[in-house]
Amino acid sequence: MGKVIGIDLGTTNSVVAYMDRREPRVIINEEGGRVTPSVVGFSKTGERFVGEIAKRQMLINPDATIHSVKRFMGKRYREAARDIPLVNYEVAENRNGDAAVKVSGRLYSPQELSAMILQKLKSSAEDFLGEPVTEAIITVPAHFNDRQRQATKDAGTIAGLNVLRIINEPTAAALAYVHDRRKNATIAVYDFGGGTFDISIVHIDREVGEVRSTRGNNALGGADLDRLLVDWLAEQFKEEHSIDVSADKIVRQRLRDAAERAKIELSTAMETEIHLPFLVADASGPRHLQVRLSRAMFETLAAPLFQQTITECRQVMEESKLSPADIDEVVMVGGSSRIPRVKELVKEFFNRPLNHAFNPDEVVAIGAAIQAGVLEGEVKSVTLLDVTNLSLGIEVEGRRFAKLIPKNTTIPAQKVQLVSTVVDNQRAVKIHVLQGESALATENVSLGEFELVGLDPAARGVPRIEVKFAIDASGIVNVSARDGRGLQNQVTIRAPTGLSKLEIEEARSEAQAHEDRREAAAETKDLRFAVEKQIVALETFLREHKAVLHRQDSSEAEQALKRGRMALAKSTDKTNLEDTSNYLKRFAAHLLDKMGGVQLS
Ligand code: AMP
């Protein structure tokens, strides 16, 4: 087995790490960065970029630059209404009712787009480690439901990764803490990232960490703070120029960029100036935006969102039946946890010093790498018991929700439920599986209607079907059933959600084909570069040794140069480039030989 990598697939940025003997290390990507923006960009010619290069085209090509796709992972289109205004690209409904992204008339599922990011991380890891990488641990927000976890796993499969486990981001951070500290403590992991907020309480007894409870909000993160600032900036501009820019995509993207920069600056400065020249132009000429934003103003605007995180903290304490005084340390995770007011509020609430020993951008990937080390057998003494973050249950009469596995149950967990028929000779039974905390089925997240078909005819109430609901260590739900005679295969289950096996397989071959094309293009580029270098070396040589060269040698050299230039002109003919490069190498050796060892450089 090759190296197993740990991936923090973030809303804004992603990080990949691995275990170097016993120590976790972050992998440097091809651009030299420790963090890769979770952005996919398509050029006008259909070329695809991921990471920093894609992020750079966000301003000029917002329709085809996909960021924050994590917000749409495993979501139905109708559930995505709150997220759509946060992005500038088109979000549409896929055939299966899920949210998808439309670029140049083609629909991409969030799984496919996330797979493009994962492919980039995988190839960075392969370059860095110098070996193929096929297995990974991927982290998700603790509050991700089954559909979102399954979608993340499917994204991994599409990217050619065998996802050994999905772990919760705060749990990963706690693992990093356990690995580093190895002391008994009860810690709170406050994770405020780009798109999500999570709070987890973890009890650590030497090398065993046990998550006591976890809460979160999948639609609360740095991007929401940016949006508040974008609205505020648009308002300021309207007041000054009487122009409403809120519907202009490019302007909004520029405002969003400036808002994020200002927000980050305000984590160290007390005031910042936002200057966007030529924001719009009308009959009277160009209009510029120039405003000052103070930290106090930002804190006032963002106060309700900051408070929401504290409310979650209060609730998680209630659920874990602990008080803030029981918490020994608070580990801060995620870029938004750097905001001074956030730090103050968290410190006030827990009345504890905050732990800043870990880099909030990297600690989750580090934890994922440690979990990889545990599964590889490289890290022996760290165990983490996680809990299910949402209650799992089924719909019962009156559209009510019956909990089978309550939230905060240690996973893996399972529950067997007996099900029967309600009419004579009923051949199929439908079970609506949901996740959530509401007593009303309609207010929870539907994981799908599982259909048990192929029942033998019998009077109503006679068939006894045992339905097993299991939540595995990745927090993924599995439902299996067997009838009273103990025949496992007698009952088939259909769960019509997410991507089908076939769709995943198709997306995977497409992703593989893209990877093959990318590799072939990279090889061609390398070959072109080799030929270009050989031509320059030969040209320099001819120039410098003109006086001493035989006429025949000069003319042969000119021929060789001509052949080289022709090969470059047919830019994509790999075989021709390869032959030409070999020929130029032989020719240079032959010429040097004749000249008696003069350097060709
Ligand atoms: P993450 O998902 O953990 O990568 O967090 C990314 C989010 O953190 C983005 O919304 C960033 O704008 C935000 N962020 C990063 N650094 C800072 C900072 N110094 N102050 C405020 N927000 C930050």
Side-chain angles (χ1 to χ4, degrees):
M1 179 163 94
K3 272 262 151 261
V4 183
I5 51 172
I7 299 176
D8 169 9
L9 182 61
T11 311
T12 323
N13 295 307
S14 295
V15 181
V16 53
Y18 75 109
M19 284 310 273
D20 183 7
R21 270 150 289 168
R22 299 248 169 82
E23 281 315 306
R25 292 200 197 292
V26 168
I27 284 172
I28 313 288
N29 67 21
E30 284 107 330
E31 291 79 35
R34 295 168 75 83
V35 163
T36 302
S38 308
V39 183
V40 179
F42 298 88
S43 74
K44 299 260 186 277
T45 55
E47 246 186 303
R48 200 165 91 192
F49 311 99
V50 177
E52 203 52 59
I53 309 178
K55 195 177 170 185
R56 262 184 246 142
Q57 70 155 33
M58 193 120 81
L59 271 182
I60 46 167
N61 196 6
D63 292 326
T65 310
I66 319 306
H67 63 95
S68 308
V69 73
K70 186 169 168 180
R71 284 198 172 233
F72 301 104
M73 283 290 265
K75 271 198 187 160
R76 297 262 189 236
Y77 179 69
R78 60 182 146 77
E79 295 163 351
R82 278 188 62 186
D83 305 285
I84 294 174
L86 290 171
V87 300
N88 272 336
Y89 47 84
E90 188 180 345
V91 179
E93 186 168 357
N94 220 341
R95 273 199 316 265
N96 60 5
D98 284 355
V101 175
K102 203 171 199 175
V103 183
S104 308
R106 191 197 143 164
L107 274 182
Y108 292 90
S109 64
Q111 290 92 319
E112 284 173 281
L113 292 160
S114 300
M116 293 172 193
I117 300 166
L118 289 171
Q119 257 184 315
K120 154 93 178 163
L121 301 174
K122 175 177 185 279
S123 97
S124 288
E126 288 175 338
D127 274 5
F128 188 85
L129 299 169
E131 59 180 82
V133 171
T134 53
E135 287 171 320
I137 308 282
I138 304 181
T139 60
V140 295
H143 223 61
F144 254 24
N145 64 38
D146 175 70
R147 287 207 327 248
Q148 294 168 304
R149 283 164 198 266
Q150 190 60 57
T152 306
K153 203 168 175 186
D154 292 344
T157 308
I158 295 170
L161 284 168
N162 178 19
V163 182
L164 299 181
R165 191 163 301 170
I166 298 280
I167 60 171
N168 293 332
E169 286 159 11
T171 307
L175 260 177
Y177 182 94
V178 178
H179 182 77
D180 196 62
R181 299 298 154 94
R182 299 182 190 276
K183 66 174 189 187
N184 294 354
T186 300
I187 61 167
V189 181
Y190 178 98
D191 181 356
F192 196 10
T196 55
F197 170 73
D198 275 326
I199 173 84
S200 297
I201 306 300
V202 187
H203 178 70
I204 297 156
D205 189 354
R206 287 163 180 264
E207 285 93 13
V208 180
E210 193 181 348
V211 180
R212 284 285 168 85
S213 55
T214 178
R215 285 189 68 87
N217 186 338
N218 281 342
L220 176 57
D224 300 277
L225 300 173
D226 301 344
R227 182 149 82 118
L228 287 177
L229 288 181
V230 167
D231 291 345
W232 182 79
L233 288 172
E235 233 172 72
Q236 303 298 305
F237 190 76
K238 195 171 169 189
E239 255 173 39
E240 195 184 334
H241 301 283
S242 306
I243 302 175
D244 185 3
V245 290
S246 53
D248 185 322
K249 273 189 181 176
I250 301 238
V251 171
R252 273 193 85 80
Q253 187 53 49
R254 284 187 71 192
L255 291 178
R256 192 178 323 225
D257 239 36
E260 189 183 13
R261 257 182 284 122
K263 172 190 74 177
I264 292 176
E265 214 174 307
L266 289 175
S267 286
T268 42
M270 296 310 283
E271 195 177 64
T272 178
E273 177 147 342
I274 298 157
H275 179 44
L276 291 175
F278 303 99
L279 193 62
V280 287
D282 63 6
S284 60
R287 306 294 184 96
H288 317 298
L289 172 83
Q290 183 135 22
V291 282
R292 297 188 83 76
L293 175 64
S294 66
R295 188 189 278 183
M297 185 62 183
F298 167 60
E299 287 180 357
T300 309
L301 290 170
L305 297 190
F306 294 162
Q307 268 313 324
Q308 272 185 43
T309 73
I310 299 300
T311 306
E312 294 285 349
C313 291
R314 190 164 297 117
Q315 282 168 347
V316 87
M317 294 312 298
E318 276 167 25
E319 281 173 10
S320 60
K321 303 198 171 52
L322 294 173
S323 80
D326 297 316
I327 302 297
D328 296 300
E329 269 191 273
V330 184
V331 178
M332 301 295 274
V333 182
S336 306
S337 74
R338 290 203 173 98
I339 298 172
R341 181 68 188 140
V342 166
K343 288 188 203 168
E344 254 169 44
L345 287 168
V346 177
K347 211 161 135 187
E348 261 168 38
F349 178 78
F350 287 101
N351 197 18
R352 285 283 168 282
L354 308 180
N355 181 318
H356 293 297
F358 301 96
N359 179 338
D361 299 327
E362 296 179 355
V363 62
V364 169
I366 294 281
I370 294 167
Q371 179 66 51
V374 171
L375 294 185
E376 280 173 313
E378 208 165 296
V379 179
K380 292 242 159 42
S381 52
V382 178
T383 311
L384 217 120
L385 301 172
D386 212 337
V387 293
T388 164
N389 54 318
L390 294 162
S391 298
L392 178 75
I394 52 175
E395 182 175 336
V396 292
E397 251 186 86
R399 308 211 135 206
R400 301 195 67 76
F401 177 59
K403 284 183 188 173
L404 297 175
I405 302 178
K407 73 171 286 187
N408 291 330
T409 302
T410 302
I411 51 173
Q414 67 173 60
K415 165 93 185 180
V416 174
Q417 177 78 15
L418 272 180
V419 170
S420 191
T421 51
V422 286
V423 292
D424 292 343
N425 300 327
Q426 189 177 329
R427 305 297 300 269
V429 174
K430 255 192 194 161
I431 301 173
H432 189 192
V433 183
L434 304 113
Q435 266 184 327
E437 308 312 320
S438 171
L440 285 179
T442 43
E443 286 180 6
N444 292 320
V445 173
S446 164
L447 302 188
E449 294 213 327
F450 292 77
E451 213 179 2
L452 317 182
V453 296
L455 306 182
D456 282 343
R460 74 191 156 111
V462 170
R464 289 167 66 80
I465 308 146
E466 275 183 14
V467 185
K468 187 165 95 185
F469 296 85
I471 304 179
D472 67 14
S474 294
I476 290 180
V477 178
N478 292 292
V479 181
S480 60
R482 54 183 205 166
D483 72 6
R485 293 162 301 168
L487 296 176
Q488 183 90 32
N489 299 329
Q490 201 70 18
V491 181
T492 36
I493 298 166
R494 286 187 226 124
T497 55
L499 293 182
S500 68
K501 269 211 168 92
L502 185 68
E503 284 168 321
I504 295 171
E505 211 30 68
E506 275 174 11
R508 182 180 173 154
S509 348
E510 204 177 301
Q512 185 58 49
H514 182 274
E515 192 55 22
D516 293 345
R517 281 198 300 277
R518 192 188 67 83
E519 272 174 20
E523 276 174 35
T524 311
K525 212 165 114 197
D526 286 349
L527 280 169
R528 279 181 64 79
F529 186 56
V531 173
E532 271 165 14
K533 263 191 1 197
Q534 285 165 320
I535 290 177
V536 172
L538 194 52
E539 281 171 345
T540 313
F541 184 83
L542 287 185
R543 224 177 15 255
E544 285 173 0
H545 298 88
K546 209 172 177 178
V548 292
L549 265 180
H550 268 270
R551 180 184 292 218
Q552 197 193 339
D553 290 336
S554 294
S555 117
E556 274 176 20
E558 285 302 338
Q559 284 303 315
L561 283 174
K562 200 166 161 193
R563 180 167 168 185
R565 291 184 193 118
M566 267 170 63
L568 285 183
K570 288 191 216 158
S571 63
T572 52
D573 188 342
K574 210 171 113 190
T575 323
N576 189 21
L577 282 167
E578 209 161 5
D579 290 349
T580 307
S581 176
N582 288 335
Y583 164 74
L584 287 173
K585 206 186 286 168
R586 280 197 309 274
F587 180 78
H590 155 79
L591 198 60
L592 286 186
D593 204 29
K594 274 181 119 180
M595 299 285 294
V598 181
Q599 278 297 316
L600 187 67
S601 59

